[in-house]
Amino acid sequence: MVLLTLLAVVAIGIVRLRNLFAVVILGAVYSFLIATVFLVLDAPDVAMTEAAVGAGIATVMMLAVLHLTKTDESRPRQPQIFPLFVSAVTGAALIYGTLDLPPFGEADTPVHTHVGPYYLSQSIPDTGVPNVVASVLASYRGWDTLGEVVVIFTAAIGVLLLLRRAQRPTRQATRSRRDAP
Amino acid sequence: MIEAIPDLVHHYNHWVSIFLMVCGLYIVVARGNMVKKLVGLTVFQTAVFLLYISAGKILGGTPPIIAEGYEHYANPLPHVLILTAIVVGVATLAVGLGLVVRINEAFGTIEEEEIFERGEQE
């Protein structure tokens, strides 16, 4: 509960700060905090992935982009009433929705009585892997993991194409194109 | 007020996750800086992860690794879904950052409003 409150405080910091460098570092803090929360919620695999990917790779990529661009955010020109209104309405609607959710951490909710127990009881006989998350990820739902790898591959190709075009003397090209007409 | 306390305990995870979600939404809608928008998207995403992982937890349970002497395990299915979602999320983030770099090269800025002004001038 303390961790979750801390998480909310860090999120407010991310909203308020205008120095993008600080925002990115707070983002890394946020990732580590939520990884700790995942660990407390009995999800060690997810916690490890979040700490490595969310706090590690994402932060490094963000810092690289900040190095290529600038690190300060300009002030918004018009007052921010409309976004605040949209966010408040969305939040209120979602909180109204949670009142019908089953209480936290009980074993007889629909989440725990559907397909989860099957995996838990059949993992050892079917695959011989004691870590059920690993066996579901790599064996029962192996095709999904293949799809995930395809997504990463596509993303890598996309980034390569975007940055490859950037290496050409595009700045002069665009400038001359803008000056031409 | 007293009646609200069990609600608070039962739904604290959900409410924090909704608060984070709303923070992310606000950043995406209200802030014009593109790197900030991407950070907001990440916050939004992580809030959804928190919602799923909370649903998988059983009080008094253990992580879903089968071992002697343990009866109650957390539900492994949300964990698998969120593992996939984290990795896909970082892939989309990479593409988004690549686009930001390209936009910065083409327009010389990553602020939405300045780009709109540039578009109106031409």
Side-chain angles (χ1 to χ4, degrees):
Chain A
M1 223 162 175
V2 177
L3 281 172
L4 287 170
T5 312
L6 210 57
L7 209 57
V9 173
V10 172
I12 293 174
I14 292 179
V15 176
R16 301 285 307 170
L17 278 175
R18 298 207 171 275
N19 185 333
L20 290 176
F21 186 73
V23 166
V24 170
I25 298 301
L26 266 189
V29 171
Y30 175 90
S31 274
F32 270 122
L33 271 177
I34 205 154
T36 320
V37 173
F38 289 159
L39 198 62
V40 174
L41 292 177
D42 289 343
D45 307 81
V46 185
M48 270 191 286
T49 314
E50 174 66 29
V53 171
I57 299 176
T59 309
V60 169
M61 288 193 308
M62 292 265 190
L63 287 178
V65 169
L66 285 188
H67 176 69
L68 291 174
T69 59
K70 56 176 186 166
T71 56
D72 273 317
E73 186 187 9
S74 69
R75 299 203 149 269
R77 284 165 215 182
Q78 66 266 41
Q80 308 275 304
I81 305 292
F82 179 66
L84 203 62
F85 176 71
V86 169
S87 311
V89 169
T90 316
L94 286 171
I95 285 188
Y96 176 69
T98 58
L99 295 181
D100 281 343
L101 282 180
F104 169 73
E106 295 201 348
D108 53 354
T109 56
V111 180
H112 297 294
T113 50
H114 188 46
V115 74
Y118 173 83
Y119 287 134
L120 284 170
S121 60
Q122 296 299 313
S123 171
I124 294 267
D126 281 356
T127 64
V129 179
N131 186 341
V132 185
V133 173
S135 76
V136 174
L137 194 69
S139 175
Y140 290 108
R141 305 235 54 94
W143 284 106
D144 288 359
T145 308
L146 181 67
E148 175 193 349
V149 173
V150 171
V151 169
I152 300 170
F153 183 65
T154 317
I157 291 177
V159 171
L160 277 181
L161 286 177
L162 280 168
L163 297 183
R164 172 74 56 80
R165 285 195 60 199
Q167 277 175 359
R168 277 192 238 145
T170 43
R171 185 160 299 189
Q172 284 170 353
T174 46
R175 192 171 300 147
S176 61
R177 213 181 305 141
R178 202 183 306 142
D179 293 343
Chain B
M1 189 66 209
I2 304 290
E3 302 91 64
I5 290 177
D7 262 4
L8 180 73
V9 174
H10 283 148
H11 293 302
Y12 194 68
N13 279 42
H14 303 145
W15 289 350
V16 168
S17 130
I18 285 171
F19 175 75
L20 297 176
M21 219 179 272
V22 168
C23 277
L25 182 69
Y26 177 77
I27 297 178
V28 171
V29 179
R31 297 286 186 260
N33 186 295
M34 292 181 177
V35 175
K36 184 98 174 219
K37 264 187 204 289
L38 285 173
V39 174
L41 269 183
T42 318
V43 169
F44 195 110
Q45 232 175 10
T46 327
V48 179
F49 300 164
L50 179 60
L51 195 67
Y52 270 66
I53 299 291
S54 304
K57 164 82 176 170
I58 294 180
L59 285 177
T62 54
I65 298 170
I66 308 291
E68 290 286 323
Y70 293 103
E71 278 292 311
H72 294 291
Y73 300 103
N75 193 339
L77 206 57
H79 299 186
V80 175
L81 294 178
I82 296 312
L83 272 180
T84 311
I86 289 177
V87 176
V88 170
V90 87
T92 49
L93 178 73
V95 176
L97 288 171
L99 279 172
V100 169
V101 171
R102 275 294 294 154
I103 288 171
N104 185 52
E105 298 212 349
F107 292 93
T109 177
I110 52 171
E111 297 286 341
E112 221 172 36
E113 290 176 348
E114 293 174 21
I115 294 173
F116 286 153
E117 279 171 12
R118 181 98 26 110
E120 280 164 13
Q121 281 166 13
E122 280 176 6

